[in-house]
Amino acid sequence: MLQEALKEIKRGAAEIIDNERIEKLLKAYFDNKETYTVKVGFDPTAPDLHLGHTVLLQKLAIFQKYGAKIQFLIGDFTAQIGDPTGKSATRKTLSAFQIQENAASYKEQVFKILDPLKTEVVFNSEWINPLGASGMLTLTTTFNVARMLERDDFDKRYKSGTSISISEFIYPLLQGYDSVHLKSDIEIGGTDQKFNLLMGRHLQRAYETGKEQAVLMMPILEGLDGVQKMSKSLNNYIGVADEPNDMFGKVLSISDELMWRYYELLSAKTLSEIEALKNGVADGSLHPKKVKEELALEITARFHSEVLANEAKMEFDRVHSNNQIPTEIEEFSSDGEISITKALVDCNLAPSTSQARRDIKQGAAKINQEKIDNEHLQLRSGEYILQVGKRKFAKLKVS
RNA sequence: GGUGAGUUAGUCAAGUGGCCAACGACGGCGGACUGUAAAUCCGCUCCCUCCGGGUUCGGUGGUUCGAAUCCACCACUCACCA
């Protein structure tokens, strides 16, 4: 029982620091029902969770199954520092109202996976603000610059001559201090967070809290391109809040190779089940597309429902396998005659008139399934189905 | 505070007075092929309803018939010195 729990907890983990401690905590739970805390931190600026985040969340859900109380930390204070990597864009300070709103949005998404009864949502401004200048100073005495520069990304930036702001040095310290305040037993995060996660251990020791948190790191999930990490800014993500059709389509668009990665980190299937699928594909008894569809169904069903997932699959087959028009298309209307280029822009099918013209020239634009060959075409009153490329559709009513 | 180097499109990066809306690479988009996959091949990639025109190369001002390119100042980044 204990062994199984441990196995489940360790599945997919990239690295675990202080394995022993985790084992002890679990043993205490199984023997005496003692609970423990697992901390995870999120930035309040980006409340749109994607599958990359859910790798962590799913892991937390497993912990909850085995006696953990989750400390879901929203870094409202640390967000003010953020990561000013070059760029002129000064970090926007979020208003208290915005933070509350983002937090609410987080909860809504997060509780699709986590058990709210075993989750405590906390904000770090609550204890960092009272620190004051002197508290902050004390914090900075616990660490030195040379060690700070050991951190991989600082090191790279320093060597490559990119600027590093002093405030960025404070960031890991504050994150570590969160663990001091919360007396966390375990903290989990992505492998890119290793330095910050270890800082929690360091500070818990420096502040003589009597414990040092164990650290469990999950691998970073690659985005749809299969190369860079999944992130909103790279636009290679599958959002938790994505529509079923989008979600299904996006999963299906990943490469076969990447599919196995997603299986490992996102699927509820056991490792041996996944191994069986792999063998099936390798010896030709399973078509990779079928295997990918299964994954797409599983993921879509998790965030929506099985019914909606199946509908998404049917819609997908309809549009892509049979080249039909989707059942639901966004509708637009126009008063009076309109030129085709303007129509494409107005319907969000092209970002600019110039682009619209190019699309037409390249034969990418269609009206009612027919290629447009005249870029000066005027649309008179009536209803049109406009299409650019394979996936972008819109319905336009001209009156 | 001093000295030197730098700032070009989504990113990297050429271009040092007219042939520059600006080489190239990556990315992105479209087409062919497919399993809306990958790989591959081809095309496009500032804006403007065509012809043609407009606005760009950190910012401001200047030199010049003409500036991404020269000059001045400002801002930002990096290195070395203090």
Side-chain angles (χ1 to χ4, degrees):
Chain A
M1 196 58 195
L2 172 64
Q3 286 314 313
E4 247 170 66
L6 284 170
K7 214 170 165 188
E8 216 175 321
I9 281 171
K10 290 176 190 171
R11 168 176 170 181
E15 192 177 350
I16 294 173
I17 289 163
D18 209 344
N19 206 350
E20 243 170 69
R21 179 116 205 272
I22 294 181
E23 286 175 10
K24 253 185 225 161
L25 289 167
L26 266 111
K27 190 163 187 322
Y29 170 70
F30 277 104
D31 293 349
N32 315 314
K33 288 284 161 221
E34 281 178 38
T35 61
Y36 53 94
T37 55
V38 179
K39 172 193 165 202
V40 67
F42 280 96
D43 192 287
T45 48
D48 288 316
L49 295 186
H50 55 61
L51 293 191
H53 300 114
T54 68
V55 172
L56 286 181
L57 295 176
Q58 284 175 250
K59 186 57 70 184
L60 290 171
I62 304 275
F63 271 114
Q64 284 185 327
K65 209 164 116 189
Y66 299 117
K69 289 244 186 293
I70 303 303
Q71 299 169 321
F72 191 90
L73 183 143
I74 294 182
D76 61 338
F77 187 92
T78 31
Q80 293 173 45
I81 301 174
D83 185 15
T85 334
K87 302 294 183 250
S88 54
T90 324
R91 194 86 178 185
K92 283 180 218 116
T93 338
L94 294 170
S95 69
F97 175 75
Q98 274 173 312
I99 288 173
Q100 281 310 318
E101 208 166 59
N102 290 349
S105 158
Y106 256 121
K107 284 184 203 169
E108 192 189 315
Q109 299 175 55
V110 160
F111 292 147
K112 282 185 180 176
I113 297 180
L114 294 184
D115 178 352
L117 294 175
K118 295 177 181 166
T119 307
E120 187 191 2
V121 179
V122 292
F123 298 85
N124 64 0
S125 62
E126 192 186 304
W127 54 86
I128 292 179
N129 272 328
L131 265 183
S134 71
M136 193 73 93
L137 198 59
T138 310
L139 183 61
T140 57
T141 58
T142 61
F143 216 67
N144 65 52
V145 172
R147 290 206 54 198
M148 201 56 96
L149 285 173
E150 286 171 10
R151 185 169 128 170
D152 188 52
D153 55 354
F154 282 150
D155 185 53
K156 275 194 198 127
R157 282 164 64 188
Y158 190 67
K159 283 183 179 150
S160 73
T162 316
S163 91
I164 301 171
S165 148
I166 299 279
S167 63
E168 290 179 83
F169 278 177
I170 309 273
Y171 191 97
L173 289 171
L174 289 174
Q175 183 172 337
Y177 185 77
D178 291 340
S179 294
V180 173
H181 177 88
L182 291 169
K183 302 185 175 65
S184 311
D185 293 305
I186 301 175
E187 176 161 10
I188 82 172
T191 48
D192 56 342
Q193 288 286 311
K194 184 170 182 175
F195 186 89
N196 294 352
L197 296 169
L198 287 173
M199 188 61 88
R201 282 170 71 81
H202 170 81
L203 289 178
Q204 283 179 332
R205 194 183 322 133
Y207 278 80
E208 297 174 354
T209 55
K211 57 165 89 169
E212 282 178 42
Q213 66 181 17
V215 169
L216 186 147
M217 282 166 274
M218 292 303 289
I220 303 299
L221 186 71
E222 291 86 351
L224 300 174
D225 52 51
V227 181
Q228 286 182 281
K229 71 169 186 177
M230 184 175 282
S231 89
K232 205 184 168 194
S233 54
L234 292 172
N235 198 25
N236 63 356
Y237 70 104
I238 300 176
V240 169
D242 279 355
E243 295 296 316
N245 287 343
D246 283 344
M247 203 178 264
F248 187 89
K250 281 182 184 177
V251 175
L252 221 55
S253 79
I254 64 176
S255 72
D256 291 357
E257 205 185 329
L258 187 60
M259 161 173 86
W260 299 118
R261 185 87 171 136
Y262 278 33
Y263 257 114
E264 185 192 353
L265 293 175
L266 298 168
S267 173
K269 286 196 196 313
T270 65
L271 293 175
S272 50
E273 281 171 319
I274 294 171
E275 200 53 40
L277 289 175
K278 252 188 211 178
N279 291 334
V281 170
D283 68 25
S285 62
L286 278 171
H287 193 293
K289 194 191 174 206
K290 286 270 169 271
V291 180
K292 207 181 289 175
E293 269 174 1
E294 212 172 306
L295 177 69
L297 281 172
E298 181 186 341
I299 290 175
T300 311
R302 177 176 307 143
F303 298 103
H304 296 282
S305 68
E306 227 161 283
V307 177
L308 288 172
N310 282 313
E311 275 175 24
K313 175 176 165 4
M314 277 158 58
E315 177 74 3
F316 183 89
D317 288 342
R318 209 180 113 74
V319 177
H320 299 289
S321 307
N322 306 326
N323 273 323
Q324 308 213 342
I325 295 162
T327 37
E328 277 182 44
I329 315 182
E330 211 175 341
E331 287 192 34
F332 297 87
S333 60
S334 149
D335 290 326
E337 199 172 293
I338 185 170
S339 70
I340 181 62
T341 45
K342 186 162 189 327
L344 291 177
V345 175
D346 286 356
C347 296
N348 296 329
L349 297 178
S352 72
T353 331
S354 301
Q355 182 64 47
R357 203 175 308 131
R358 275 178 228 121
D359 286 338
I360 293 170
K361 221 174 272 176
Q362 296 189 105
K366 290 180 189 166
I367 290 185
N368 302 330
Q369 310 260 60
E370 303 246 340
K371 237 178 227 178
I372 304 170
D373 45 15
N374 173 14
E375 60 183 270
H376 304 300
L377 190 69
Q378 291 286 325
L379 298 181
R380 293 175 214 291
S381 62
E383 251 188 57
Y384 303 92
I385 304 285
L386 303 177
Q387 180 183 358
V388 171
K390 285 176 198 159
R391 340 182 171 185
K392 284 178 285 185
F393 294 89
K395 187 185 274 182
L396 178 69
K397 276 185 190 164
V398 181
S399 47

